[in-house]
Amino acid sequence: LGSLLVTCPLLVLGDLEVDGLLDDCGPDSTIVVLGRCVAKGLRTSGNFLVLGDLVVRDVIQGVYNDESLIVAGNLETRFLDENDHEVACYGGLRTEHRFENGRSDEEAALWASAFLVPGLWNIDLGEIDHGELFERIRRNEPVFTEARG
């Protein structure tokens, strides 16, 4: 399955594998995966529950603080940006870069400049361009300055 934009509630009775970006639409699109969930990128602003493992190759971004990303199994991704969104993992958490709740946009841009390619962050404006970040993932273009070893 290529990129997937979920616009209504979705219940997956097994595993969900997305060969691209998995994106939801806030509280209108609660997602429940009873098995394992795999994607190249995940952007969530809604309730997202995975009872198995969540494996995201590049980036997970949580947006807004009204909903939650909950993983009963292990969570694995290269870059986890909680961005004021509740993220709970009851298994192991494996990530190279994690921006937890409460970080400022200015801090995030400065930290991201160390591992995201130029054009995805702006220190002067104090922002990460998440829109362009996920477009690059959708196009399968590199987003990190160093390849994974």
Side-chain angles (χ1 to χ4, degrees), residues 24 42-46 48 59-69 79-87 99 101 103 130 134:
D24 67 30
L42 169 64
R43 181 170 41 195
T44 179
S45 57
F48 200 111
V59 181
I60 297 172
Q61 182 198 18
V63 185
Y64 306 121
N65 62 2
D66 294 333
E67 314 298 336
S68 303
L69 168 62
F79 174 30
L80 172 60
D81 188 358
E82 296 179 18
N83 198 16
D84 211 23
H85 193 80
E86 180 189 10
V87 176
F99 294 176
N101 280 333
R103 56 89 170 152
H130 288 98
F134 284 103

Short mmCIF file of all heavy atoms in Angstrom, two decimals, residues 24 42-46 48 59-69 79-87 99 101 103 130 134:
data_model
loop_
_atom_site.label_atom_id
_atom_site.label_comp_id
_atom_site.label_asym_id
_atom_site.label_seq_id
_atom_site.Cartn_x
_atom_site.Cartn_y
_atom_site.Cartn_z
N ASP A 24 -3.16 10.98 9.37
CA ASP A 24 -4.56 10.99 9.76
C ASP A 24 -5.10 12.42 9.81
O ASP A 24 -4.36 13.37 9.55
CB ASP A 24 -4.79 10.23 11.07
CG ASP A 24 -4.17 10.90 12.29
OD1 ASP A 24 -4.05 12.13 12.32
OD2 ASP A 24 -3.81 10.18 13.23
N LEU A 42 5.01 8.78 9.69
CA LEU A 42 3.71 8.83 10.34
C LEU A 42 3.49 10.22 10.91
O LEU A 42 4.31 10.71 11.68
CB LEU A 42 3.62 7.80 11.48
CG LEU A 42 2.41 7.92 12.41
CD1 LEU A 42 1.10 7.68 11.67
CD2 LEU A 42 2.54 6.95 13.59
N ARG A 43 2.39 10.84 10.49
CA ARG A 43 1.98 12.14 11.05
C ARG A 43 0.58 11.94 11.62
O ARG A 43 -0.34 11.57 10.90
CB ARG A 43 1.99 13.21 9.96
CG ARG A 43 1.59 14.57 10.45
CD ARG A 43 1.83 15.66 9.43
NE ARG A 43 1.46 15.24 8.09
CZ ARG A 43 1.82 15.88 6.99
NH1 ARG A 43 2.57 16.95 7.05
NH2 ARG A 43 1.43 15.45 5.81
N THR A 44 0.44 12.18 12.92
CA THR A 44 -0.84 11.95 13.56
C THR A 44 -1.25 13.14 14.42
O THR A 44 -0.45 13.68 15.16
CB THR A 44 -0.84 10.66 14.40
OG1 THR A 44 -2.12 10.52 15.02
CG2 THR A 44 0.24 10.64 15.46
N SER A 45 -2.50 13.51 14.29
CA SER A 45 -3.09 14.53 15.17
C SER A 45 -4.33 13.97 15.84
O SER A 45 -5.07 14.69 16.49
CB SER A 45 -3.42 15.79 14.37
OG SER A 45 -4.31 15.48 13.31
N GLY A 46 -4.55 12.67 15.69
CA GLY A 46 -5.73 12.03 16.26
C GLY A 46 -5.37 10.95 17.23
O GLY A 46 -4.22 10.82 17.66
N PHE A 48 -4.46 7.30 17.92
CA PHE A 48 -3.80 6.27 17.13
C PHE A 48 -3.34 5.20 18.11
O PHE A 48 -2.50 5.46 18.97
CB PHE A 48 -2.61 6.87 16.38
CG PHE A 48 -2.14 6.08 15.21
CD1 PHE A 48 -2.31 6.57 13.93
CD2 PHE A 48 -1.52 4.86 15.37
CE1 PHE A 48 -1.87 5.86 12.83
CE2 PHE A 48 -1.08 4.13 14.29
CZ PHE A 48 -1.25 4.63 13.01
N VAL A 59 10.27 9.14 10.27
CA VAL A 59 9.80 10.16 11.21
C VAL A 59 8.39 9.87 11.70
O VAL A 59 7.51 9.51 10.91
CB VAL A 59 9.79 11.56 10.55
CG1 VAL A 59 9.32 12.62 11.53
CG2 VAL A 59 11.15 11.93 9.99
N ILE A 60 8.18 10.06 13.00
CA ILE A 60 6.85 10.13 13.59
C ILE A 60 6.67 11.53 14.14
O ILE A 60 7.51 11.99 14.92
CB ILE A 60 6.65 9.12 14.73
CG1 ILE A 60 6.78 7.69 14.22
CG2 ILE A 60 5.30 9.33 15.41
CD1 ILE A 60 6.78 6.64 15.33
N GLN A 61 5.60 12.20 13.72
CA GLN A 61 5.27 13.50 14.29
C GLN A 61 3.88 13.45 14.88
O GLN A 61 2.91 13.11 14.20
CB GLN A 61 5.33 14.62 13.24
CG GLN A 61 5.02 15.97 13.87
CD GLN A 61 4.64 17.05 12.87
OE1 GLN A 61 4.27 16.77 11.73
NE2 GLN A 61 4.71 18.28 13.31
N GLY A 62 3.78 13.78 16.15
CA GLY A 62 2.49 13.97 16.79
C GLY A 62 2.16 15.45 16.77
O GLY A 62 3.02 16.28 17.06
N VAL A 63 0.92 15.78 16.43
CA VAL A 63 0.52 17.18 16.32
C VAL A 63 -0.68 17.43 17.23
O VAL A 63 -1.62 16.63 17.23
CB VAL A 63 0.14 17.53 14.86
CG1 VAL A 63 -0.16 19.01 14.72
CG2 VAL A 63 1.23 17.11 13.90
N TYR A 64 -0.67 18.50 17.96
CA TYR A 64 -1.76 18.95 18.86
C TYR A 64 -1.84 18.07 20.09
O TYR A 64 -1.39 16.93 20.10
CB TYR A 64 -3.11 19.03 18.14
CG TYR A 64 -3.06 19.87 16.90
CD1 TYR A 64 -3.41 19.33 15.66
CD2 TYR A 64 -2.66 21.20 16.94
CE1 TYR A 64 -3.35 20.09 14.51
CE2 TYR A 64 -2.60 21.96 15.79
CZ TYR A 64 -2.95 21.41 14.58
OH TYR A 64 -2.89 22.16 13.45
N ASN A 65 -2.43 18.60 21.13
CA ASN A 65 -2.41 17.92 22.42
C ASN A 65 -3.75 17.33 22.84
O ASN A 65 -3.92 16.95 23.98
CB ASN A 65 -1.89 18.86 23.50
CG ASN A 65 -2.78 20.08 23.68
OD1 ASN A 65 -3.80 20.22 23.03
ND2 ASN A 65 -2.39 20.96 24.57
N ASP A 66 -4.71 17.25 21.96
CA ASP A 66 -6.02 16.73 22.34
C ASP A 66 -6.12 15.22 22.25
O ASP A 66 -7.00 14.61 22.85
CB ASP A 66 -7.12 17.35 21.46
CG ASP A 66 -7.26 18.84 21.71
OD1 ASP A 66 -6.93 19.29 22.83
OD2 ASP A 66 -7.69 19.55 20.79
N GLU A 67 -5.26 14.58 21.48
CA GLU A 67 -5.36 13.15 21.22
C GLU A 67 -4.03 12.46 21.57
O GLU A 67 -3.10 13.11 22.02
CB GLU A 67 -5.72 12.90 19.75
CG GLU A 67 -6.85 13.76 19.21
CD GLU A 67 -8.20 13.56 19.90
OE1 GLU A 67 -8.42 12.49 20.49
OE2 GLU A 67 -9.03 14.48 19.83
N SER A 68 -3.94 11.14 21.34
CA SER A 68 -2.77 10.38 21.78
C SER A 68 -2.34 9.35 20.75
O SER A 68 -3.16 8.80 20.03
CB SER A 68 -3.08 9.63 23.08
OG SER A 68 -3.49 10.50 24.08
N LEU A 69 -1.04 9.06 20.75
CA LEU A 69 -0.46 7.92 20.05
C LEU A 69 -0.06 6.92 21.13
O LEU A 69 0.78 7.23 21.98
CB LEU A 69 0.76 8.34 19.23
CG LEU A 69 1.64 7.22 18.66
CD1 LEU A 69 0.85 6.35 17.69
CD2 LEU A 69 2.88 7.78 17.99
N PHE A 79 13.37 9.34 14.00
CA PHE A 79 13.12 10.67 14.58
C PHE A 79 11.69 10.71 15.09
O PHE A 79 10.74 10.57 14.33
CB PHE A 79 13.37 11.74 13.51
CG PHE A 79 13.02 13.15 13.90
CD1 PHE A 79 13.08 13.60 15.21
CD2 PHE A 79 12.63 14.05 12.92
CE1 PHE A 79 12.76 14.91 15.54
CE2 PHE A 79 12.31 15.36 13.24
CZ PHE A 79 12.38 15.80 14.56
N LEU A 80 11.54 10.93 16.40
CA LEU A 80 10.23 11.04 17.04
C LEU A 80 10.07 12.48 17.52
O LEU A 80 10.80 12.93 18.40
CB LEU A 80 10.11 10.07 18.22
CG LEU A 80 8.87 10.21 19.10
CD1 LEU A 80 7.59 9.99 18.29
CD2 LEU A 80 8.95 9.23 20.27
N ASP A 81 9.12 13.20 16.92
CA ASP A 81 8.82 14.58 17.31
C ASP A 81 7.43 14.60 17.92
O ASP A 81 6.43 14.60 17.22
CB ASP A 81 8.90 15.50 16.09
CG ASP A 81 8.79 16.97 16.47
OD1 ASP A 81 8.62 17.28 17.67
OD2 ASP A 81 8.89 17.82 15.57
N GLU A 82 7.39 14.60 19.25
CA GLU A 82 6.11 14.55 19.94
C GLU A 82 5.32 15.85 19.76
O GLU A 82 4.09 15.81 19.76
CB GLU A 82 6.33 14.24 21.43
CG GLU A 82 6.93 12.86 21.63
CD GLU A 82 7.19 12.52 23.08
OE1 GLU A 82 6.62 13.17 23.99
OE2 GLU A 82 7.98 11.60 23.32
N ASN A 83 6.00 16.97 19.64
CA ASN A 83 5.38 18.25 19.27
C ASN A 83 4.06 18.51 20.00
O ASN A 83 3.05 18.80 19.39
CB ASN A 83 5.18 18.29 17.75
CG ASN A 83 4.98 19.70 17.24
OD1 ASN A 83 5.27 20.67 17.92
ND2 ASN A 83 4.47 19.82 16.03
N ASP A 84 4.07 18.36 21.33
CA ASP A 84 2.91 18.65 22.18
C ASP A 84 1.79 17.62 22.04
O ASP A 84 0.64 17.91 22.33
CB ASP A 84 2.38 20.07 21.89
CG ASP A 84 1.76 20.70 23.13
OD1 ASP A 84 2.12 20.27 24.24
OD2 ASP A 84 0.93 21.60 22.99
N HIS A 85 2.11 16.42 21.57
CA HIS A 85 1.13 15.34 21.40
C HIS A 85 1.52 14.23 22.38
O HIS A 85 2.69 13.88 22.49
CB HIS A 85 1.22 14.82 19.95
CG HIS A 85 0.11 13.93 19.53
ND1 HIS A 85 -1.12 14.41 19.15
CD2 HIS A 85 0.04 12.58 19.39
CE1 HIS A 85 -1.89 13.39 18.79
NE2 HIS A 85 -1.21 12.28 18.93
N GLU A 86 0.56 13.65 23.06
CA GLU A 86 0.89 12.57 23.99
C GLU A 86 1.32 11.33 23.21
O GLU A 86 0.62 10.87 22.30
CB GLU A 86 -0.32 12.21 24.86
CG GLU A 86 0.01 11.08 25.81
CD GLU A 86 -1.19 10.54 26.56
OE1 GLU A 86 -2.34 10.89 26.24
OE2 GLU A 86 -0.97 9.73 27.46
N VAL A 87 2.48 10.79 23.57
CA VAL A 87 2.99 9.56 22.99
C VAL A 87 3.30 8.62 24.14
O VAL A 87 4.10 8.94 25.02
CB VAL A 87 4.25 9.80 22.13
CG1 VAL A 87 4.82 8.49 21.61
CG2 VAL A 87 3.94 10.75 20.97
N PHE A 99 12.30 14.45 20.22
CA PHE A 99 11.93 15.76 20.75
C PHE A 99 10.67 15.55 21.57
O PHE A 99 9.61 15.26 21.03
CB PHE A 99 11.65 16.76 19.63
CG PHE A 99 12.85 17.11 18.79
CD1 PHE A 99 12.70 17.93 17.70
CD2 PHE A 99 14.12 16.63 19.06
CE1 PHE A 99 13.78 18.29 16.90
CE2 PHE A 99 15.21 16.96 18.28
CZ PHE A 99 15.04 17.79 17.20
N ASN A 101 7.59 16.36 24.50
CA ASN A 101 6.64 17.44 24.79
C ASN A 101 7.33 18.53 25.58
O ASN A 101 8.21 18.25 26.40
CB ASN A 101 5.46 16.91 25.62
CG ASN A 101 4.44 16.20 24.79
OD1 ASN A 101 4.30 16.47 23.61
ND2 ASN A 101 3.72 15.27 25.40
N ARG A 103 9.20 21.00 24.39
CA ARG A 103 10.33 21.66 23.72
C ARG A 103 9.82 22.87 22.97
O ARG A 103 8.68 22.93 22.51
CB ARG A 103 11.06 20.69 22.79
CG ARG A 103 10.18 20.02 21.73
CD ARG A 103 10.10 20.81 20.47
NE ARG A 103 9.47 20.08 19.39
CZ ARG A 103 8.82 20.69 18.42
NH1 ARG A 103 8.69 21.98 18.41
NH2 ARG A 103 8.29 19.99 17.44
N HIS A 130 7.74 20.74 8.66
CA HIS A 130 7.19 19.38 8.66
C HIS A 130 6.48 19.05 7.34
O HIS A 130 6.51 17.91 6.90
CB HIS A 130 6.23 19.19 9.83
CG HIS A 130 6.93 19.11 11.15
ND1 HIS A 130 7.05 20.18 11.98
CD2 HIS A 130 7.55 18.07 11.77
CE1 HIS A 130 7.71 19.83 13.07
NE2 HIS A 130 8.02 18.55 12.97
N PHE A 134 7.59 15.71 5.27
CA PHE A 134 6.74 14.57 4.90
C PHE A 134 6.55 14.47 3.39
O PHE A 134 6.36 13.37 2.87
CB PHE A 134 5.41 14.63 5.65
CG PHE A 134 5.57 14.19 7.08
CD1 PHE A 134 5.61 15.12 8.11
CD2 PHE A 134 5.74 12.86 7.39
CE1 PHE A 134 5.79 14.72 9.43
CE2 PHE A 134 5.92 12.44 8.70
CZ PHE A 134 5.95 13.38 9.73
#
